[in-house]
Amino acid sequence: MEQTSHHFNENVRRALAEPTLKTALDRTTTLLRTRRAKVIDAFPQYAKARETAQKIKDHTLDHLGHYLRQFEENARANGAQVHWAATPEDARRIVTDICRAENAKTATRVKSMLGEEIGIAEALTEAGVERIETDLAEHIIQLAGDPPSHIVMPAMHKTHEQVAELFAQKHQDPGTKQDIPSLVESARRELRPKFMNADISISGANFLIADTGSFVTITNEGNAELTTTPPKTHIVTVGIEKMVPSLKHAAVFIRLLSRAAIGTEITQYTTFYNGPKRAGDRDGPENLNIVLVDNHRSDMLSDFLRPMLRCIRCGACMNHCPVYATVGGHAYGAVYPGPMGSVLTPAMTGLKGSKDLPNACTLNGRCKEVCPVNIPLPDMLRSLRARQFESGMVTPKAKWSLKLWAMLATRPALYHFCTTIANINLRVLARGQGKISAVPFAGGWTRTRDLPQPEAGTFMQQYRKQQR
Ligand code: SF4
């Protein structure tokens, strides 16, 4: 997808002017938040599992080279071909070379954010391979010509009424009903023959398992299994940080992923792949290619962004982020939206073109609270802001405002004097109406919301009054 993070403010204005978007986001984020809270409450070992998951990931990242070598050796012993891709270009070349060698005309694809990250869709089109998205939400956005707007629910920005309209235009047999089960049936009728006749299958993986050379896919629709089984050749593209040492360790993450992502105890389908079809197997691909992608992950290992490599792509941080829930994923203008995207996008594509993303955060801390692997997203976003400031990426206005703030914040008497004056002025501006609609030099804030009238006196003045 085309990155438009450098137009974040325009993207946000466009999103705010779209009333259906807010309806779609509200419906889904509210449902996901409620369901997640319920299953976490019913999981007494949650805190322990979260702590263990963090430790496993930190250990694996400390010894990533070792586990990658172990995985490669075991995957090859299982009969897979293992490829290394340092950049998205490398990954695309490897995938399209395999498609050309197989003379592939069609490829079924299971949703994978890594696939989006490296631009698989565009590469397949250029190579003349028809791409068939098999995840229901991905199928919807493929028909609509949209990029994904969420990492777990890519069509979160669409209401089911919009989907019904889309299917009526694009499906051969859309049916007459417009309720959700009928829409799913219609997609099933459309996709089933395509699953069976594809030349190549392309998937991601949720986890790589070093000591067995296996990988895992986790879906609710069973489309991963339907995608990867019939074609002769299966290609897996996966980020190197998805590694865990063993099956036992993978189980810890499997218990957390679906609870955090969609608020269910387990997903419908969790499949462990252990090499291509063997003699005597009735089905499965004859060739299995695993493409291990770096794309700046190695750089992140030695940076303050290292904890971000613990991410298991559950999307909980987005579902609980008030900014994401207001503007949706497209406003972030990058593959990864929301809080995790505001950290990953600068790490992968540079801070210069995505400098508004870390500043979009309100630092309310909910993303860290709900993250199943305890990634300190607000701290990292703050550090990215500091990095921007140090490398002179802020506007002169912001730079001088911060310098003024630092000067005031380190001089308590002056700070007290200024806040008292500001308090009096704001109360005058409120004209006794309880709110302020416009504040000089703060138009960016008051253009879309009112500022509440301040209390009589600053916090310290009121605190002292209480002490007496
Ligand atoms: S940062 Fe945490 S909450 Fe967000 S997607 Fe990654 S694992 Fe999930």
Side-chain angles (χ1 to χ4, degrees):
M1 73 179 268
E2 190 200 348
Q3 185 169 336
T4 61
S5 310
H6 52 294
H7 293 310
F8 179 72
N9 292 334
E10 289 149 50
N11 295 347
V12 164
R13 271 195 280 281
R14 207 171 310 124
L16 292 176
E18 172 55 79
T20 325
L21 175 67
K22 186 79 183 109
T23 308
L25 293 170
D26 278 348
R27 276 184 193 168
T28 317
T29 54
T30 309
L31 175 76
L32 292 172
R33 287 198 289 251
T34 318
R35 287 204 328 207
R36 177 197 166 276
K38 243 190 222 165
V39 290
I40 297 293
D41 277 355
F43 183 26
Q45 309 88 348
Y46 174 69
K48 180 84 191 126
R50 189 186 193 218
E51 194 189 318
T52 311
Q54 178 179 344
K55 281 188 186 151
I56 296 169
K57 271 286 169 189
D58 285 343
H59 165 85
T60 315
L61 293 172
D62 286 346
H63 304 91
L64 191 58
H66 162 78
Y67 286 118
L68 282 167
R69 280 189 293 277
Q70 192 185 8
F71 174 83
E72 180 181 22
E73 199 177 303
N74 289 327
R76 285 194 202 284
N78 291 340
Q81 293 185 53
V82 180
H83 311 258
W84 296 89
T87 63
E89 294 76 38
D90 292 343
R92 289 198 295 270
R93 185 182 32 76
I94 295 166
V95 171
T96 49
D97 281 355
I98 298 168
C99 290
R100 286 199 185 98
E102 295 288 325
N103 201 17
K105 297 280 173 288
T106 56
T108 38
R109 193 180 154 236
V110 188
K111 180 185 97 68
S112 125
M113 290 316 295
L114 193 278
E116 302 295 332
E117 181 189 316
I118 60 179
I120 286 272
E122 296 78 4
L124 290 175
T125 307
E126 269 169 37
V129 180
E130 187 199 347
R131 169 179 60 101
I132 301 143
E133 296 293 343
T134 64
D135 175 89
L136 178 58
E138 282 283 335
H139 171 65
I140 292 167
I141 60 172
Q142 184 178 22
L143 292 183
D146 281 351
S149 65
H150 188 281
I151 61 170
V152 177
M153 270 143 294
M156 191 193 251
H157 56 288
K158 292 216 171 288
T159 60
H160 75 265
E161 292 85 349
Q162 288 174 315
V163 173
E165 217 172 285
L166 187 69
F167 283 7
Q169 287 167 17
K170 308 265 180 170
H171 276 182
Q172 287 188 6
D173 181 7
T176 49
K177 292 196 194 146
Q178 301 208 332
D179 57 288
I180 291 170
S182 308
L183 293 173
V184 174
E185 268 309 317
S186 168
R188 190 170 284 151
R189 283 192 297 272
E190 188 80 12
L191 287 173
R192 185 62 58 142
K194 297 184 176 172
F195 277 120
M196 304 317 290
N197 298 315
D199 299 320
I200 289 253
S201 68
I202 304 176
S203 77
N206 291 87
F207 303 104
L208 297 167
I209 301 173
D211 74 343
T212 57
S214 337
F215 61 92
V216 187
T217 61
I218 296 177
T219 69
N220 270 315
E221 298 167 22
N223 60 313
E225 295 70 15
L226 263 174
T227 299
T228 58
T229 308
K232 205 174 102 197
T233 298
H234 176 195
I235 307 172
V236 188
T237 55
V238 56
I240 53 174
E241 84 288 6
K242 293 282 176 93
M243 187 66 66
V244 292
S246 72
L247 280 176
K248 188 180 82 188
H249 296 110
V252 176
F253 293 96
I254 291 169
R255 293 183 88 194
L256 288 168
L257 181 58
S258 141
R259 284 178 164 94
I262 50 167
T264 59
E265 287 183 3
I266 190 115
T267 37
Q268 307 286 340
Y269 299 90
T270 301
T271 301
F272 295 80
Y273 299 81
N274 221 12
K277 183 175 173 179
R278 292 178 177 79
D281 284 353
R282 291 183 58 188
D283 46 31
E286 289 167 25
N287 312 307
L288 173 63
N289 292 273
I290 304 172
V291 186
L292 298 169
V293 181
D294 187 323
N295 192 22
H296 296 287
R297 287 162 172 82
S298 302
D299 304 335
M300 289 167 73
L301 273 175
S302 53
D303 196 78
F304 68 82
L305 298 170
R306 182 188 178 104
M308 196 61 225
L309 294 169
R310 296 206 291 261
C311 178
I312 57 170
R313 309 288 191 262
C314 69
C317 53
M318 289 163 209
N319 306 338
H320 291 76
C321 172
V323 178
Y324 178 93
T326 306
V327 300
H330 289 158
Y332 292 81
V335 170
Y336 298 103
M340 58 81 84
S342 300
V343 174
L344 267 182
T345 308
M348 289 179 170
T349 64
L351 192 50
K352 216 167 171 194
S354 55
K355 63 182 166 52
D356 289 327
L357 302 185
N359 296 305
C361 174
T362 63
L363 299 179
N364 63 63
R366 281 158 83 185
C367 50
K368 177 174 185 262
E369 240 168 70
V370 298
C371 176
V373 282
N374 204 17
I375 298 177
L377 290 159
D379 296 345
M380 286 194 282
L381 290 166
R382 240 191 315 261
S383 301
L384 283 169
R385 290 181 191 183
R387 189 173 273 186
Q388 272 178 23
F389 186 80
E390 282 152 16
S391 43
M393 276 186 212
V394 290
T395 59
K397 190 174 153 194
K399 188 173 152 193
W400 286 109
S401 308
L402 284 169
K403 283 198 168 167
L404 181 67
W405 170 256
M407 196 260 285
L408 282 177
T410 48
R411 291 171 177 79
L414 185 61
Y415 181 85
H416 179 67
F417 173 74
C418 291
T419 48
T420 305
I421 299 289
N423 190 287
I424 294 167
N425 283 329
L426 288 173
R427 287 178 64 75
V428 171
L429 279 176
R431 295 196 204 104
Q433 291 172 1
K435 62 177 181 154
I436 307 161
S437 309
V439 181
F441 308 114
W445 176 271
T446 51
R447 199 175 301 127
T448 50
R449 48 175 113 52
D450 294 330
L451 201 66
Q453 175 178 318
E455 297 294 332
T458 64
F459 171 77
M460 285 312 291
Q461 285 163 348
Q462 292 187 59
Y463 179 72
R464 278 191 206 107
K465 227 187 262 172
Q466 296 273 330
Q467 298 273 298
R468 273 185 227 133

